[in-house]
Amino acid sequence: MINSIAIRLNVAPKDGNLSFDISELAAMLPAGTVDNNVEMVYKELPKWEESVLQARARYQQTINNLADKYPTQNLLFVTHGEGIEVALSSFKKDVVVDKVQYCGYVQLKRPIFERDHSLIGGKFNVLTHSGQSGVTYVSS
């Protein structure tokens, strides 16, 4: 989340302008680390002090967009606890996430259908049971 809930104020942007030069950061990494052919899911960062609801919607949209873009691929999303909570609660209805441990994860799966020579993703199913992978949740 791009807000003071997730980012301590002593490292937060003083002017509210959270920006960095991706090309400059990529130049710090070993050659071949960054794929320059990748199309960014978001063209710009969210504005500073986005709400929790805005961040959650962004996480869910990112999961959906990338899963739709790569329907036949297995995807690994490395994120913070909030993103894990969204991945679970968005696709498993009527649950409340109790705790996400360090390195906790959830596993999602969805069927893929072919329609008019295009691949269409079905509804995600959560395969992870509470407590199985560092994430505990309860029915609401």
Side-chain angles (χ1 to χ4, degrees), residues 88-108:
L88 191 138
S89 62
S90 295
F91 304 112
K92 187 169 186 73
K93 298 302 177 201
D94 301 322
V95 299
V96 175
V97 175
D98 179 49
K99 184 175 184 178
V100 177
Q101 294 177 356
Y102 185 72
C103 292
Y105 65 92
V106 296
Q107 185 178 2
L108 306 174

Side-chain angles (χ1 to χ4, degrees), residues 67-116:
D68 288 344
K69 186 172 182 172
Y70 304 102
T72 63
Q73 302 296 311
N74 292 320
L75 303 176
L76 173 67
F77 295 94
V78 178
T79 184
H80 296 273
E82 188 74 21
I84 299 298
E85 184 175 334
V86 170
L88 191 138
S89 62
S90 295
F91 304 112
K92 187 169 186 73
K93 298 302 177 201
D94 301 322
V95 299
V96 175
V97 175
D98 179 49
K99 184 175 184 178
V100 177
Q101 294 177 356
Y102 185 72
C103 292
Y105 65 92
V106 296
Q107 185 178 2
L108 306 174
K109 185 175 183 176
R110 69 179 185 167
I112 303 296
F113 306 100
E114 186 173 351
R115 187 181 312 148
D116 299 326

Side-chain angles (χ1 to χ4, degrees), residues 39-51:
E39 182 181 334
M40 302 286 286
V41 174
Y42 284 96
K43 304 301 181 214
E44 60 184 44
L45 288 171
K47 301 295 182 216
W48 176 249
E49 289 295 1
E50 73 176 330
S51 72

